[in-house]
Amino acid sequence: MNGSGAHRALPGAAVDLTAYRVIQEGLTNVIKHAGATAAADLTLAWRPDGLHITIEDDGAAPATGEAGVGLTGMRERLRMVGGTVAIGGRPGAGFELSATLPYESRSLPSSSS
């Protein structure tokens, strides 16, 4: 795992759990789809606009560009907290997942007392 930038807290449990689930699903997909000899690299980058999570592998990219249930669920989970994801094959070989989680979630209820 690689990391860069100054660590910042995410805006709550929902966003923390989303980050965890993105990493979990991304690494699970490497195990399931990239092949037995594939290597993966996980990078967490705390940038001004949010936490960027990148998972790259050097295995065989999936034969189709269609998202499975896990990737569809990941997209929905990220959308619920204002995050984004880009998923696809890498030039040459491998697969890349790149997700961004904002430091301020648009979907979390604001406190108005």
Side-chain angles (χ1 to χ4, degrees):
M1 182 177 96
N2 299 307
S4 65
H7 179 267
R8 287 183 61 178
L10 295 173
V15 182
D16 284 343
L17 181 59
T18 298
Y20 174 83
R21 294 292 188 206
V22 165
I23 293 167
Q24 181 183 44
E25 180 65 26
L27 293 176
T28 296
N29 283 343
V30 172
I31 293 167
K32 288 171 63 175
H33 303 293
T37 60
D41 186 34
L42 166 64
T43 302
L44 302 178
W46 285 270
R47 297 181 185 158
D49 63 330
L51 172 62
H52 291 250
I53 300 169
T54 305
I55 300 173
E56 298 175 314
D57 71 63
D58 61 0
T64 66
E66 296 180 26
V69 174
L71 294 176
T72 299
M74 182 189 309
R75 279 194 177 103
E76 291 172 2
R77 188 182 290 270
L78 281 159
R79 186 174 39 244
M80 288 174 31
V81 297
T84 61
V85 65
I87 303 163
R90 295 174 50 207
F95 198 72
E96 180 177 327
L97 179 149
S98 180
T100 301
L101 291 150
Y103 296 126
E104 295 186 21
S105 178
R106 293 181 293 249
S107 71
L108 296 177
S110 59
S111 58
S112 53
S113 312

